[in-house]
Amino acid sequence: MKGSECVSYYTILQNGLVIDPEKGGIERRDIGIIDGQLADVKDVLAQGINIHYINVDGAYIAPGFIDLHVHVFKDATTLGIEADLVGIEQGVTTIVDAGSAGYDNYQLLKDTVIQQSQTEVLAFLNIARQGLGAGLSELADPTQLMTLEEAKEIFAHEPQIVGLKARMSGSVVKEQGIAPLKHTRLVADALHKPIMVHIGNPPPYLNEIFPLLTKGDIITHAFHGKKHGILNEQGYLIEEAIKALQRGVLFDVGHGTSSFSYETLRKFKTSYTQPFSISTDIYINNYDNPVGSLMLTMSKLLALGFTLEEVVRAVTIQAAEAIGLTEQGTLKIGTRADITIFTFHDKPTNLVDSEGVVLTTNRVLQPQMTIRNGKVVFRQ
Ligand SMILES: [Zn+2]
């Protein structure tokens, strides 16, 4: 990698292999940037002098990667990890904190993380008012749910909040069952915002959860390896899952400590072609093992036979559309120049899923350079 760290109004990224999810394919071409936005290379050249050239030496260039599920709220939860460590330093330009914060402590997330990070940090607001700040059974007490009035108020004032989070597993909801999701549904409908629903160990069961989800909602941990998941005993999607996909519900990986199984995704891949998003559910305890990073998670999917274009789409256009982002996840001229540059680390590497299953691969993505708003904010 050559090129200086200087910030220039006019930049050209040279000699990259560009993966443009909207155009398809991988092509060697240059990328222009003017004043923090993607620009036609001809328009940059027309400026004549004072152009900052960055030679990326055959590395891949893609829209900045988006991780829809992370936990970065260090001050209020014990699991929060440093945002830039899992963001720009891993080639991820936008991360979405998935429910660490709720109505009562969102301001602290904003003050201590969102406004302090070079990574763009967005949030799914937990329907529980303390988020994960008061333990991990946050939906067990119905008096602790955010009201519709509170939700309207906070969504109106906080543009970084992109949706709601509800964790629907037995240990979280306790005696409440499906009730917290019904309440989340009412709030989401009034706000026209998506719900990210975590699935795990029942109850509630998926045949209660999925019918409550609609176009634009996101099911994270979709490919976990626990009992009562998206697949039946024959390895096909359960009826409610098929219907949810048909309605436009999005599956999301949400790797996490215990929520990603190669076997589940392999079976899904054998019979279904619906696109999904790839996210990490990264936090302090799974950063070393088994999650690692978004690129490592993407590498696991490459090892399962997904193509490079597919895994890049899953963290760019797919993720951006899921939360209504138009400036991110794209290489369209005139949009914000958030760019991820990466190579392959060509050495046999063992990649483990949440079930302890190991795949050995030579193709591991490695971040080389991260650009936010047209500026180099990280380089290897
Ligand atoms: Zn999570």
Side-chain angles (χ1 to χ4, degrees), residues 19-36:
I19 305 176
D20 184 334
E22 279 149 322
K23 289 188 177 151
I26 299 175
E27 61 172 331
R28 190 175 283 271
R29 69 174 165 96
D30 294 347
I31 295 278
I33 299 170
I34 297 179
D35 194 20

Side-chain angles (χ1 to χ4, degrees), residues 69 71 165 281:
H69 188 161
H71 293 282
K165 177 87 187 281
D281 186 20

